[in-house]
């Protein structure tokens, strides 16, 4: 039963001995209001001759003036069109289908524009558009309006014309050919058939030219293994919806492993389906060292080092194939790994194994195991084309550059001076290159050292094509005219190839043979074309030899496991404040990277985390040393679930070039990414000092309020009545227990007329990816407040994703153990054992926004009626009425209301995107920008629901189920969030609200929310 489980948000809360944690739990505002800022200091007040009556008159006047000022916003005069474009209707949004691939992230998109400005990213849901936007892709709309972009070409660090740049590149190519020097194109994985054709044509004409593909975060080992077996340099596109058992060995497939995008298929198998009493969900077992999104979602998680993962993979290979390769798996893991392997073998074609171990032999065993299983989820036909890099070729290029054999180097989409571990060698080699060209959005670490720094357009300003998977073809189209003097890489390729015309003309002609049977206009409209897929011919390899070689791998002592964070990825968008302020789903820390250590190792090394009086989290520093490279004063996070003997650290931070000062945070972990291996042998020691984190894990907590997360096991779910695993809260009425929903403090009104909106959130499908958080930012003009304000519990996110840890024990079990303690020695050992629940906890994510209560406690306490209830179920805010008493926040049990302590718009103290005209171009004109001194919170995207109603009314038709959306439900690719009208009895949200798994958050309070949660079911 869910009510018996112990949940905790942080290690400090689990310890239960912190008075600060308890105080934060009970206080909405953790710091005293700084009255001295506006009343002066004590000495000034004591020496004042002002009478009490005059003082009160002054305060009364100033308060009234402040309230009046809060009701008056600045007047902005609009400039009308001289000649209005026929396609643009003011006030009506236009949508353009496009696709994005930046070498790391990719998605099929719909781009919302208003009056010619792209303002929001949505998912393209047309058939064939299979990749949804993650948090970083949603945030990329803000990167379009980055004021730090490179705005014009530079030649020898001086402003230059494009004609001068073109002439310089062409003359350098001619000179290279004459002198026998190499011309090298160094690019990220392009996945663009037309661009690859242009490069191939150039190389055909110039034998001294070559193309080197460089992925900052390498998948080279997996590519090498697949190429050896299938003859194609690509990655398997797994379909987890077809798997009943998923066994992952170090692969965070719900994160960035192989580019991500697997969460939708995964979630389909995780929502209980089938006949009553016989419902099924897939089972997921995860072996990993760092705590990841995949590990958090797993039914069974085994925390182990990468060295043990390699031995475990050999052990699994033996069981699946019947081999007998000697593996030295730690005895502590053998029973669990054996059980998982046997379950995988029993699942047969419904089972699948994946691995993120960066070792060719390990990846060969993955292919062998899935071949033996004949796994249906193992898709070798529509392979992923989004990683093509070769570690060997990149290393050879650096050698060639330093040897002086590279004459002309043209780089696009890469920043090796930042991302290469041995960036010094690359920078030295760059000095020996006659002509170096960096085509880049920004004058980054690499572009600042090249002969030519050439600005390229953002993908929302550019044409392009993509083949993200074999058999699909997507078009990228501009949604706005280029903001700066930029030129596409493809236009430069056309120029040096001597091909006349524009890239648009070339692309249109080139695509004709690929989209045969369709038309340019249709593919441009749909955004994606699905053609025939040729099945890759299955080959074989020396799997037994690979197993033997892997079994002989040795542990390297303490392991540093590098990874990419959900928010920052590979670091391309480090200047994006939405992503910097996005709390990591697991650590709940923003504006930082850090080293994660296990609780056991932290105690051994004397490293701690502590929540301080203002709600902020402080932590120790550590010095790391990897192969002679030292990282000093790295902040430490004690991470439950981190495998003992391993530490984790995120890539993508520590950038300096072309970033605002506020965004220059963290430490560059690429410096220790030696040999493109994400696992390194490390030594670590505690450093002096204490780091201040911007961490929200101890803020706005609902702990101690009753059932928040409800969960059960699949067995109980199928064999017991819903009253057992989804117990309904009761209250006392006339000395009898009655359901909470049967007792009201307020009179109800008829909600059956018109629309009544509900939002359903399935805890089984939520992976904590955070796409909804960024989409909410974009849609509702949510401000960024910065690290210091986040630390003070003043973040403005309208939607947060609470992360809870839970032990596998119950409250009853804990109580029994404590009651049976006999003597001091017994108590010490017992309590020590009970603390170990935090070493490898189960994890649950719960998105929380305004619950739009039908009996909202905020509405009853507002003295100016600024917050009230609408006929359609939304709790509404009239900002012009709000005077900032904050009574509503104090009376909200969900802690979802946000107070504007400052003016975040046009304020130099908050220099993010709302402080310059370019950044403000992203603002949604349908949602006002709030001023200082008012409360704001989730509106259930009332502007979106009203637009849907008006559209259907204008078209004279009924609204179809699925048309109503909020920003968060629209962004959710797993189906965890479903929004709709519960007065439509056939709507999906109506059926979900009536499901046995449905419950309301803090239902016993009697608020009657319009947000419905679903009990989490684990397949143990």
């Amino acid at each position: 039963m869910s009510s018996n489980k112990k949940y905790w948000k942080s290690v400090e809360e689990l310890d239960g001995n912190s008075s600060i944690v308890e105080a934060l739990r009970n206080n909405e505002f953790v710091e005293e209001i700084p009255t001295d800022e506006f009343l002066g200091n004590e000495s000034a007040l004591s020496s004042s001759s002002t009478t009490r009556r005059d003082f009160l008159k002054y305060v009364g006047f100033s308060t009234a003036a402040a309230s009046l000022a809060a009701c008056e916003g600045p007047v902005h005069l609009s400039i009308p069109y001289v000649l209005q474009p026929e396609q643009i209707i003011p006030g009506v949004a236009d949508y353009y289908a496009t696709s994005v691939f930046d070498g790391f992230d990719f998605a099929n998109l719909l781009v919302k524009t208003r009056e010619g400005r792209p303002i929001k990213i949505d998912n393209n849901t047309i058939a064939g558009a299979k990749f949804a936007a993650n948090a970083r892709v949603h945030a990329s709309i803000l990167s379009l309006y980055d004021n730090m972009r490179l705005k014009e070409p530079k030649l020898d660090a001086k402003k230059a014309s494009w004609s001068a740049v073109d002439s310089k590149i062409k003359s350098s190519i001619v000179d290279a050919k004459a002198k026998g020097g190499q011309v090298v194109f160094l690019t990220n994985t392009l996945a663009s058939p037309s661009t690859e054709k242009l490069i191939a044509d150039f190389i055909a004409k110039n034998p001294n030219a070559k193309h080197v593909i460089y992925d900052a975060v390498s998948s080279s080992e997996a590519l090498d293994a697949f190429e050896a077996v299938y003859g194609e340099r690509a990655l398997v596109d797994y379909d987890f919806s077809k798997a009943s058992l998923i066994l992952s060995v170090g692969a965070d497939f719900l994160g960035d492993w192989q580019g991500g995008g697997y969460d939708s298929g995964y979630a389909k198998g995780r929502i209980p389906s089938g006949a009553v009493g016989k419902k099924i969900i897939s089972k997921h077992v995860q072996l990993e060292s760092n705590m990841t999104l995949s590990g958090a979602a797993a039914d069974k998680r085994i925390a182990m080092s990468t060295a043990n993962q390699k031995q475990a993979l050999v052990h699994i290979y033996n069981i699946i194939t019947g081999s007998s390769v000697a593996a030295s798996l730690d005895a502590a893991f053998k029973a669990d790994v054996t059980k998982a392997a046997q379950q995988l073998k029993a699942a047969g074609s419904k089972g699948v194994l994946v691995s993120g171990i960066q070792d060719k032999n390990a990846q060969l065993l993955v292919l062998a195991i899935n071949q033996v299983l004949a796994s249906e989820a193992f898709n070798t036909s529509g392979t992923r084309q989004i990683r093509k890099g070769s570690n060997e070729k990149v290393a050879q290029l650096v050698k060639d550059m330093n040897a002086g054999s590279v004459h002309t180097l043209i780089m696009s989409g890469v920043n090796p001076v930042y991302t290469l571990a041995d960036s010094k060698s690359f920078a030295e080699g760059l000095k020996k290159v006659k002509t170096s060209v960096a085509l880049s959005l920004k004058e980054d670490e690499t572009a600042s050292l090249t002969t030519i720094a050439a600005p390229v357009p953002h993908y929302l300003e550019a044409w392009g094509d993509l083949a993200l998977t074999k058999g699909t073809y997507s078009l990228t189209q501009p949604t706005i005219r280029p903001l700066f003097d930029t030129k596409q890489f493809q236009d430069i390729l056309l120029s040096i190839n001597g091909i006349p015309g524009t890239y648009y003309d070339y692309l249109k002609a080139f695509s004709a043979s690929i989209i045969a049977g369709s038309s340019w206009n249709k593919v441009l409209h749909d955004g994606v074309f699905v053609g025939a897929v040729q099945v890759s011919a299955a080959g074989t390899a020396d799997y037994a030899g690979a197993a033997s070689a892997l079994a002989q791998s040795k542990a390297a002592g303490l392991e540093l496991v590098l990874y990419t964070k959900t928010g920052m990825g590979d670091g391309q968008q480090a200047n994006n404040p939405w992503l910097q302020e996005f709390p990591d789903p697991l650590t709940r820390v923003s504006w930082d990277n850090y080293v994660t250590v296990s609780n056991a190792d932290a105690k051994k090394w004397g490293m701690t985390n502590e929540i301080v009086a203002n709600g902020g989290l402080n932590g120790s520093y550590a010095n790391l040393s990897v192969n002679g490279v030292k990282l000093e004063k790295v902040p430490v996070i004690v991470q439950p679930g981190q495998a003992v003997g391993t530490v984790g650290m995120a890539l993508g931070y520590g950038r300096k070039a072309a970033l605002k000062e506020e965004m220059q945070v963290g430490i560059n972990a690429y410096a220790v990414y030696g040999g493109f291996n994400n696992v390194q042998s490390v030594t670590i020691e505690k450093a002096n000092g204490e780091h201040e984190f911007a961490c929200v894990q101890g803020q706005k907590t609902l702990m101690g309020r009753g059932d928040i997360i409800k969960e059960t096991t699949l067995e109980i779910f199928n064999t017991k009545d819903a009253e057992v695993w989804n117990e309904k809260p009761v209250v006392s009425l006339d000395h009898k227990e009655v359901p909470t929903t049967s007792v009201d403090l307020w009179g109800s009104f008829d909600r059956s007329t018109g629309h009544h909106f509900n939002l359903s959130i399935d805890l089984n499908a939520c992976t904590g990816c955070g796409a909804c958080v960024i989409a909410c930012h974009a849609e509702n003009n949510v401000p960024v407040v910065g690290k210091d304000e986040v630390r003070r519990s003043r973040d403005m996110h309208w939607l947060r994703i609470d992360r809870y840890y839970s032990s596998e024990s119950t409250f009853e079990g804990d109580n029994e153990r404590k009651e049976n303690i006999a003597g001091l020695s017994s108590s010490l050992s017992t309590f020590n054992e009970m603390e170990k629940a935090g070493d490898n906890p189960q994890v649950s994510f719960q998105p929380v926004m305004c619950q739009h209560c039908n009996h909202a406690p905020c509405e009853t306490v507002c003295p100016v009626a600024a917050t009230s209830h609408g006929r359609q179920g939304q709790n509404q805010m009239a900002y012009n009425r709000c005077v900032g008493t904050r009574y509503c926040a104090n009376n909200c049990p969900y802690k979802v209301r946000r107070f504007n302590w400052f003016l975040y718009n046009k304020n130099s103290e908050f220099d993010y995107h709302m402080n310059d005209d370019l950044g403000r171009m992203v603002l949604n004109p349908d949602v006002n920008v709030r001023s200082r001194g008012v409360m704001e919170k989730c509106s259930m995207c009332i502007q979106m629901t009203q637009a849907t109603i008006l559209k259907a009314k204008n078209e004279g038709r009924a609204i179809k189920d699925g048309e109503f959306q909020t920003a968060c439900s629209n962004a959710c690719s797993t189906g965890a969030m479903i929004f709709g009208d519960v007065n439509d009895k056939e709507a999906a949200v109506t059926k979900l609200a009536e499901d046995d798994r449905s419950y309301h958050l803090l239902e016993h309070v009697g608020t009657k929310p319009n947000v419905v949660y679903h009990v989490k079911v684990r397949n143990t």
Side-chain angles (χ1 to χ4, degrees), residues 192-223:
S192 168
S194 63
T195 311
E196 290 169 353
K197 176 72 164 53
L198 285 168
I199 293 175
D201 288 347
F202 180 85
I203 293 173
K205 298 175 186 175
N206 300 272
N208 63 320
K210 66 178 181 179
H211 182 200
V212 177
I213 301 173
Y214 166 47
D215 297 321
V217 181
S218 175
S219 297
S220 188
E221 306 295 346
L223 292 165

Side-chain angles (χ1 to χ4, degrees), residues 609-630:
N609 285 157
E610 179 186 11
I611 294 179
V612 295
N614 69 350
L617 182 74
N618 289 4
S620 303
Y621 282 114
N623 293 331
L624 276 61
S625 180
V626 179
N627 296 324
V629 179
K630 292 185 178 180

Side-chain angles (χ1 to χ4, degrees), residues 86-101:
E86 293 181 8
Q87 302 91 339
I88 295 178
I89 302 173
V92 177
D94 290 313
Y95 291 84
Y96 295 88
T98 190
S99 293
V100 59
F101 178 56

Side-chain angles (χ1 to χ4, degrees), residues 22-43:
E22 184 62 30
L24 293 172
R25 180 182 296 170
N26 297 323
N27 291 325
E28 168 68 7
F29 302 104
V30 297
E31 290 188 326
E32 294 184 5
I33 298 172
T35 53
D36 58 319
E37 290 182 12
F38 53 86
L39 291 181
N41 58 43
E42 186 177 349
S43 60

Side-chain angles (χ1 to χ4, degrees), residues 415 418-419 440-446 568 570-575 580 593 651-670:
N415 184 9
Y418 165 65
T419 57
S440 174
L441 276 170
K442 320 206 49 185
E443 195 171 4
D444 55 29
E445 290 81 357
T446 302
M568 194 51 59
D570 65 348
Q572 289 187 57
Q573 295 192 74
N575 204 45
Q580 289 283 9
N593 70 334
L651 302 164
Y653 286 81
R655 291 190 59 185
K656 303 294 182 185
L659 264 66
K660 290 185 178 180
E661 185 178 351
E662 294 85 353
M663 256 62 83
Q664 296 177 23
V665 297
I667 292 171
N668 184 7
Y670 280 113

